[in-house]
């Protein structure tokens, strides 16, 4: 790039050529730095001939590296195949020796011994033990027996639980059917009207109670005034007392009626205003009451059994 003239700076072909050479020199510098492994790269003249030689040298070096890598890979694969062949050969030889030894043992065994050997081998295969050692097989057999017993117990427990759930499901279905079909559990058709009427009567009676309480207060005030007057007014005081007692009796009667109505209204406290929703709520409460009765009977039965 030092040999560029002012005219070359405005030539597109020269600019492309200079960029290509700069990229080649960067690649050469990277390759030399890798080859010298951190050591200082010797200085040399940077011209086209040197670039051409270094480029050819780099390409030859890369081809040589690829050939060495390929040779090493082929060598490793060949060694692996040889090792596998040797391992297969040893296995085949060992298998043949084992088969010959087994045949010789079988030939020397009696009928009972052959049956015992076959039973031992079958047991080892079934238990999946790596060896036919009796102690190892015994431990494995104990483990299998314990696991089998545990699974059997769990299965019995699950079956019992399933039967219990099926029984409870049948009972719940029967109760649901009874609640839906039995007229005794049906909500009265005029429940909402009765509730409204009882609330209205309660308000009316409370108003009456306040009126009678006011009258009673007035009578008590009049009585207190009459007791301070001369004896000629004793007759009117006696009549006032009788009237007061009569009104007190009426007041007590009204209070009892109000309390009775309030108790009846309390039974419907919390029910929704809608008739169908009130019926459903009453049905739920009746189911809850039925369950509590069953629980009470069961507890009583347990106490009697004890």
């Amino acid at each position: 790039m030092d040999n560029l003239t002012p005219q070359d700076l405005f030539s597109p072909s020269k600019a492309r050529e200079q960029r290509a050479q700069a990229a080649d020199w960067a690649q050469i510098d990277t390759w030399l730095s890798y080859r010298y492994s951190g050591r200082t790269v010797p200085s040399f003249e940077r011209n086209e001939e040197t670039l051409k030689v270094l480029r050819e040298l780099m390409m030859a070096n890369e081809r040589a590296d690829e050939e060495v890598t390929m040779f090493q890979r082929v060598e490793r694969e060949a060694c692996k195949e040889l090792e596998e062949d040797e391992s297969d050969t040893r296995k085949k030889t060992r298998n043949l020796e084992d088969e010959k030894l087994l045949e010789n043992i079988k030939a020397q065994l009696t009928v009972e011994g052959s049956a015992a050997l076959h039973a031992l081998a079958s047991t080892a295969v079934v238990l999946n033990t790596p060896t036919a050692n009796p102690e190892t097989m015994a431990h494995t057999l104990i483990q299998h027996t314990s696991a089998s017993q545990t699974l059997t117990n769990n299965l019995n427990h699950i079956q019992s639980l399933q039967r219990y759930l099926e029984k409870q499901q049948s009972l719940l279905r029967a109760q649901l059917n009874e609640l839906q079909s039995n007229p005794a559990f049906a909500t009265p058709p005029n429940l909402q009207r009765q509730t409204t009427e009882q609330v209205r009567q309660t308000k009316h009676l409370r108003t009456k109670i306040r009126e009678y309480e006011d009258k009673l207060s007035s009578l008590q005030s009049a009585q207190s005034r009459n007791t301070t007057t001369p004896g000629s007014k004793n007759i009117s005081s006696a009549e006032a007392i009788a009237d007061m007692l009569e009104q007190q009796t009426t007041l007590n009667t009204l209070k009892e009626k109000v309390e009775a109505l309030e108790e009846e209204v309390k039974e419907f406290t919390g029910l929704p205003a809608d008739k169908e929703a009130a019926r459903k709520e009453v049905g739920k409460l009746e189911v809850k009451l039925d369950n509590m009765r069953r629980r009470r009977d069961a507890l009583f039965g347990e106490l009697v059994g004890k």
Side-chain angles (χ1 to χ4, degrees), residues 2-266:
D2 296 337
N3 298 326
L4 289 175
T5 62
Q7 291 78 13
D8 293 337
L9 294 175
F10 298 97
S11 175
S13 59
K14 288 288 185 179
R16 285 194 298 271
E17 183 179 354
Q18 292 299 326
R19 285 196 298 271
Q21 288 183 0
D24 291 340
W25 277 115
Q27 188 176 6
I28 293 296
D29 292 337
T30 302
W31 175 68
L32 290 174
S33 300
Y34 172 74
R35 286 300 172 185
Y36 277 89
S37 301
R39 293 174 296 172
T40 304
V41 179
S43 58
F44 53 88
E45 184 179 355
R46 293 176 177 267
N47 51 36
E48 294 183 0
E49 294 181 358
T50 305
L51 178 61
K52 181 179 179 181
V53 172
L54 289 175
R55 190 188 300 118
E56 292 177 354
L57 179 61
M58 182 181 68
M59 295 176 62
N61 186 265
E62 290 178 353
R63 286 195 299 271
D65 290 341
E66 291 177 357
E67 291 177 358
V68 170
T69 303
M70 186 181 298
F71 177 76
Q72 291 176 352
R73 184 172 62 253
V74 171
E75 185 178 7
R76 285 195 299 270
E77 292 177 355
C79 292
K80 184 177 180 181
E81 291 179 358
L82 289 175
E83 290 176 356
E84 291 177 353
D85 292 340
E86 290 179 358
S87 177
D88 293 338
T89 303
R90 286 195 297 270
K91 288 181 180 179
K92 290 179 181 179
T93 304
R94 190 181 302 109
N95 292 335
L96 291 174
E97 292 176 355
D98 293 341
E99 289 178 0
K100 290 180 180 179
L101 179 61
L102 182 60
E103 292 297 332
N104 293 331
I105 293 174
K106 286 182 177 180
Q108 300 298 327
L109 288 175
T110 60
V111 178
E112 293 81 3
S114 179
L117 180 62
H118 180 71
L120 183 64
S122 301
T123 305
V125 172
V126 171
L127 295 177
N128 194 21
T129 54
T131 178
N133 185 5
E135 184 177 357
T136 303
M137 293 175 64
H139 285 294
T140 306
L141 182 61
I142 292 172
Q143 292 176 358
H144 279 279
T145 303
S146 178
S148 176
Q149 186 63 34
T150 302
L151 292 175
T152 302
N153 294 335
N154 292 337
L155 181 61
N156 293 333
H157 178 70
I158 291 172
Q159 290 176 350
S160 301
L161 182 60
Q162 182 181 3
R163 289 192 295 269
Y164 173 77
L165 292 177
E166 290 175 352
K167 182 178 179 181
Q168 292 297 321
Q169 185 182 13
S170 301
L171 292 175
L172 290 175
R173 288 186 181 276
Q175 293 176 3
L176 179 61
N177 187 23
E178 183 179 1
L179 290 173
Q180 291 176 347
S181 59
N182 194 344
F185 298 107
T187 306
N190 56 350
L191 175 63
Q192 185 175 1
R193 184 176 60 81
Q194 290 179 358
T195 304
T196 305
E197 181 65 21
Q198 289 176 352
V199 171
R200 188 186 64 79
Q201 291 179 3
T202 302
K203 292 181 179 179
H204 177 69
L205 290 175
R206 284 177 178 172
T207 304
K208 289 291 185 181
I209 289 173
R210 285 194 293 270
E211 291 178 1
Y212 284 119
E213 287 177 349
D214 294 338
K215 289 181 179 180
L216 180 61
S217 299
S218 299
L219 290 173
Q220 288 175 351
S221 299
Q223 180 183 3
S224 62
R225 288 195 300 271
N226 291 331
T227 54
T228 59
T229 59
S232 59
K233 297 183 178 179
N234 289 335
I235 296 175
S236 61
S237 299
E239 292 176 356
I241 291 172
D243 189 13
M244 181 183 65
L245 291 175
E246 184 180 356
Q247 291 183 2
Q248 182 67 34
T249 303
T250 305
L251 180 62
N252 292 335
T253 304
L254 289 175
K255 282 185 177 181
E256 291 177 357
K257 289 183 179 180
V258 171
E259 290 176 356
L261 288 174
E262 287 180 347
E263 290 297 328
E264 292 181 2
V265 171
K266 283 182 181 179

